[in-house]
């Protein structure tokens, strides 16, 4: 996380990453690939905000699709914790989105909106 | 500025008492206060600035209490870690660095915290009061350590109930920040100063005459570190046990049938010399028999807290030693006056104590090991004895329902 701050930081499971039809190269997204979304923790999410992110998207496979048993469950817990801490910091819990997708499906996950002024 | 290390290391007589009582030295991590002082004299500071053992010291101050030359190794640690940090060296952060991120984010003056959601109408506070209750990081600890069963926000609510019971309606600061204790002891002096300046300016604006703390780390930082960096505070600082003891809450205290053993938190005991006020309050509870561990007061064990860094097997072993000593007294409550001791000791209990020495001896003898007593914050126990303890978990569970995943110590 040493590069210039970009408005959206994405933590994505490699298996679910194929579903992210997003302008990664456009400069709005900073992408961190994870082997499984269960690797994400609240510390990583908070560090992203500390480093200047406006929004964080955590992207993983849905429960039946996870190749690592309980990745989505762990991610739900950690994203929930990060949301609660961000709420107490006064930054708002809606700055973190968790998208659990069917990795073999065809709908693209929603990207969080970035404020215009950025 | 001359380093404290340089002025103090030369008066070391090399007796080794410091290393003898150091809970980290006996864990075999390679840290030894005597070696640190002798190396400083012989080789200068460079030798250990890159040594990870520098971050193993818990600043528990047991060494300082036995040192015949009065050397403060913890004071030296503060400055050495600041030097190490300038070179980009720091301790390993537990919990994915989450707590350090929170502290540094709070240092940003623009962060518009919403940290008082846990207050409810039964708690009497007053914006005109000249007594401020400094809550500390409980609103952040509550969700992070929920899986351990600790309830730091209940402790905060109980603290207000006790103050109300003593006839005080405290003022609370909606924009209070972390006191900076952990950043300072990790060498982040700039981060500490930002937090401290913010807290001091807010508190001075209120015209507060007394600031009350339920966290010994906050109290130590206000009482010893803020004046060193910013001069006189302009208000009195007290631990809630001191205020309740002074104001005579003890005289109409409650009752609770229990055997309790009191654990002296490092910051409250050795750092600030407050040993008696908590014990006086406990003794005043009818039906409560106060027991003492083999190591108490100046030689009390440490809970292993190290600013959320360097958590590991060594820390677990000294936590288990403390729990074993407490269990050996036969107490059913282990009372501490520090929210971090509460968290750390509950973490050791949650991690399981099957591999501790007494547990192994008991298992070889074919019996069950003595169960660790229930860990209770002094504030919660006092409120319980008066029948005013917090029952609800308002705010503790605000937000998301979490499933799975512990506090994620790594």
């Amino acid at each position: 996380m040493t590069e210039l701050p970009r408005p959206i930081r994405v933590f994505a499971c490699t298996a679910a990453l194929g579903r992210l039809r997003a302008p990664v190269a456009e400069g709005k997204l900073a992408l961190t690939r994870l082997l499984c979304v269960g690797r994400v923790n609240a510390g990583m999410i908070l560090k992203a905000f500390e480093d200047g992110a406006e929004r964080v998207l955590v992207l993983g496979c849905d429960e039946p699709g996870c190749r690592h048993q309980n990745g989505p469950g762990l991610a739900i817990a950690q994203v929930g914790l990060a949301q609660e801490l961000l709420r107490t910091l006064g930054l708002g819990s809606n700055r973190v989105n968790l998208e659990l997708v069917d990795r073999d499906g065809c709908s693209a996950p929603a990207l969080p909106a970035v404020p215009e002024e950025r | 500025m001359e380093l404290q290390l340089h002025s103090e290391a030369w008066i070391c007589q090399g007796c080794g008492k410091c290393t003898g009582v150091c809970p980290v030295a006996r864990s075999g991590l390679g840290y030894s206060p005597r070696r640190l002082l002798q190396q400083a004299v012989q080789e200068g500071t460079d030798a250990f600035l890159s040594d990870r053992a520098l971050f193993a010291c818990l600043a528990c101050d047991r060494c300082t209490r036995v040192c015949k030359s009065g050397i403060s190794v913890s004071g030296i640690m503060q400055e050495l870690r600041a030097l190490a940090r300038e070179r980009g060296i720091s301790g390993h952060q537990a919990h994915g660095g989450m707590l350090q991120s929170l502290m540094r984010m709070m240092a940003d003056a623009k962060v518009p915290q919403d940290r008082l959601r846990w207050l409810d109408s039964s708690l009497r506070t007053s914006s005109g009061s000249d007594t401020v209750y400094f809550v500390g990081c409980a609103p952040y600890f509550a969700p992070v350590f929920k899986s351990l069963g600790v309830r730091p926000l209940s402790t905060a609510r109980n603290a207000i109930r006790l103050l109300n019971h003593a006839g005080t309606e405290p003022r609370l600061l909606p924009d209070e920040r972390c006191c900076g204790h952990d950043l300072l002891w990790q060498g982040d002096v700039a981060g500490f100063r930002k937090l401290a300046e913010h807290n001091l300016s807010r508190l001075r604006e209120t015209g507060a005459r007394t600031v009350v703390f339920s966290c010994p780390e906050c109290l130590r930082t206000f009482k010893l570190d803020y004046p060193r960096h910013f001069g006189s505070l302009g208000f009195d600082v007290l631990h809630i046990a001191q205020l309740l003891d002074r104001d005579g809450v003890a005289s109409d205290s409650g009752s609770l049938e229990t055997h309790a053993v009191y654990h002296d938190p490092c910051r409250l005991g050795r750092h600030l010399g407050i040993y008696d006020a908590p014990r006086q309050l406990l003794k005043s509870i009818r039906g409560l028999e106060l027991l003492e561990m083999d190591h108490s007061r100046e030689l009390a064990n440490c809970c292993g807290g190290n600013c959320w860094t360097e958590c590991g097997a060594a820390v677990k072993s000294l936590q288990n030693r403390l729990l074993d000593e407490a269990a050996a007294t036969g107490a059913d409550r282990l009372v501490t006056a520090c929210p971090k001791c509460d968290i750390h000791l509950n973490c050791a209990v949650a991690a399981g104590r099957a591999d501790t020495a007494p547990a192994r001896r008991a298992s070889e003898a074919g019996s069950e090991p003595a169960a660790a007593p229930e860990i209770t914050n002094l504030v919660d126990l006092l409120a319980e004895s008066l029948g005013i303890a917090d029952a609800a978990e308002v705010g503790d569970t605000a937000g998301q329902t979490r499933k799975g995943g512990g506090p994620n110590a790594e």
Side-chain angles (χ1 to χ4, degrees):
Chain A
M1 295 181 197
T2 50
E3 69 266 48
L4 285 173
R6 300 180 193 200
I8 305 176
R9 170 134 229 132
V10 181
F11 295 102
C13 155
T14 309
L17 189 58
R19 300 289 311 285
L20 187 69
R21 293 179 207 142
V24 174
E26 222 177 64
K28 279 193 170 179
L29 297 185
L31 176 67
T32 302
R33 283 158 53 115
L34 310 170
L35 201 57
C36 172
V37 75
R39 172 67 183 87
V40 84
N41 65 38
M44 294 157 66
I45 298 172
L46 287 179
K47 185 76 168 63
F49 286 108
E50 191 194 338
D51 289 346
E54 288 281 331
R55 294 277 190 277
V56 167
L57 170 67
V58 179
L59 177 64
C61 306
D62 56 12
E63 192 84 47
C66 179
R67 297 168 178 177
H68 303 273
Q69 287 194 335
N70 190 28
L74 295 170
I76 288 168
Q78 291 297 317
V79 169
L81 174 57
Q83 285 174 333
E84 190 162 350
L85 294 172
L86 286 164
R87 188 175 164 211
T88 304
L89 280 170
L91 299 176
S93 55
N94 57 358
R95 286 178 182 242
V96 191
N97 294 38
L98 174 65
E99 291 278 343
L100 298 175
V101 297
D102 172 5
R103 65 184 144 87
D104 299 319
C106 52
S107 64
L111 276 176
V114 179
E116 279 302 314
E117 62 270 27
R118 290 298 292 261
Chain B
M1 190 178 74
E2 194 197 18
L3 289 177
Q4 191 179 341
L5 174 72
H6 292 158
S7 61
E8 293 198 356
W10 289 96
I11 58 172
C12 169
Q13 302 171 63
C15 73
K17 284 195 171 80
C18 49
T19 298
V21 297
C22 174
V24 183
R26 80 185 262 190
S27 72
L29 276 184
Y31 169 72
S32 150
R34 174 169 64 173
R35 199 187 63 185
L36 179 135
L37 293 166
Q38 305 231 317
Q39 253 186 335
V41 171
Q42 290 160 13
E43 303 165 31
T45 51
D46 279 9
F48 38 76
L49 278 188
S50 56
D51 188 343
R52 285 292 293 276
L54 183 62
F55 294 92
C57 168
L58 306 165
C60 75
D61 252 1
R62 268 181 126 185
C63 51
T64 305
R65 293 294 150 240
V66 296
C67 179
K68 296 301 171 201
S69 303
I71 299 173
S72 168
V73 173
S74 63
I76 290 170
M77 274 301 154
Q78 258 194 17
E79 65 187 19
L80 283 180
R81 288 178 183 175
L83 287 174
R85 193 182 167 84
E86 283 171 14
R87 303 184 182 191
I89 303 159
S90 56
H92 175 73
Q93 300 175 350
H95 309 285
M98 166 180 17
L99 293 141
Q100 282 82 2
S101 277
L102 284 170
M103 297 166 207
R104 289 190 299 261
M105 286 166 89
M106 270 190 263
D108 177 354
K110 294 194 292 293
V111 165
Q113 291 182 94
D114 175 19
R115 57 178 292 140
L116 294 179
R117 298 196 305 276
W118 49 274
L119 281 176
D120 64 50
S121 54
S122 71
L123 305 167
R124 297 198 308 275
T125 59
S126 161
S127 58
S129 175
D130 62 3
T131 301
V132 172
Y133 170 47
F134 194 90
V135 177
C137 288
Y140 296 99
F141 292 165
V144 173
F145 299 106
K146 200 170 110 190
S147 63
L148 297 178
V150 294
R151 294 167 60 190
L153 286 176
S154 283
T155 306
R157 281 190 289 266
N158 286 335
I160 297 177
R161 293 208 173 92
L162 287 171
L163 290 172
N164 289 168
H165 184 79
T168 303
E169 294 188 0
R171 177 172 183 162
L172 271 68
L173 299 183
D175 197 22
E176 177 191 313
R177 307 285 162 117
C178 165
C179 68
H181 173 280
D182 291 352
L183 290 185
L184 182 63
W185 287 96
Q186 284 167 49
D188 185 356
V189 180
F192 158 76
R193 288 184 64 97
K194 273 192 221 164
L195 291 165
E197 278 170 355
H198 183 95
N199 284 327
L200 278 173
S201 81
R202 289 293 175 283
L203 282 165
R204 284 171 178 157
E205 279 166 19
T206 66
R209 292 175 60 192
T210 307
V211 182
V212 187
F213 300 82
S214 50
C215 173
E217 292 197 346
C218 297
L219 177 62
R220 187 230 125 91
T221 308
F222 269 76
K223 187 148 184 149
L224 301 181
D225 298 310
Y226 281 18
R228 214 156 38 79
H229 283 261
F230 304 99
S232 168
L233 293 175
F235 46 80
D236 288 336
V237 290
L238 289 174
H239 189 264
I240 187 166
Q242 293 176 293
L243 183 135
L244 296 175
D245 189 34
R246 185 194 71 185
D247 288 358
V249 163
S251 60
D252 70 339
S253 61
S255 62
L256 194 66
E257 289 295 328
T258 187
H259 290 77
V261 62
Y262 176 69
H263 160 64
D264 292 281
C266 305
R267 268 58 178 173
L268 199 63
R270 283 181 292 265
H271 286 223
L272 296 168
I274 301 168
Y275 300 105
D276 292 321
R279 287 183 168 80
Q280 286 304 331
L281 290 169
L282 287 170
K283 281 180 192 160
S284 71
I285 297 174
R286 284 188 303 279
L288 184 145
E289 188 181 337
L290 182 62
L291 305 167
E292 294 287 347
M293 283 183 268
D294 288 350
H295 294 91
S296 69
R297 300 179 75 95
E298 295 213 325
L299 280 178
N301 285 301
C302 173
C303 78
N306 190 2
C307 312
W308 315 115
T309 59
E310 300 295 327
C311 183
V315 168
K316 280 284 162 287
S317 82
L318 65 97
Q319 289 168 342
N320 280 323
R321 206 175 304 140
L322 198 166
L323 291 171
D324 291 339
E325 268 194 24
T329 64
D332 41 29
R333 298 284 194 123
L334 169 55
V335 184
T336 178
C338 176
K340 283 194 182 170
C341 294
D342 194 356
I343 289 166
H344 287 121
L345 295 175
N346 272 296
C347 181
V349 170
R353 298 173 55 239
D355 60 344
T356 65
R360 276 198 302 276
R361 279 197 297 274
S363 142
E364 282 160 16
S367 61
E368 287 289 309
E374 186 187 338
I375 298 147
T376 312
N377 192 300
L378 174 68
V379 167
D380 297 329
L381 190 84
L382 290 171
E384 187 183 337
S385 76
L386 289 164
I388 56 173
D390 193 47
E393 289 204 23
V394 188
D396 281 0
T397 52
Q400 305 293 313
T401 306
R402 297 197 288 129
K403 54 176 179 179
N408 206 27
E410 288 176 351

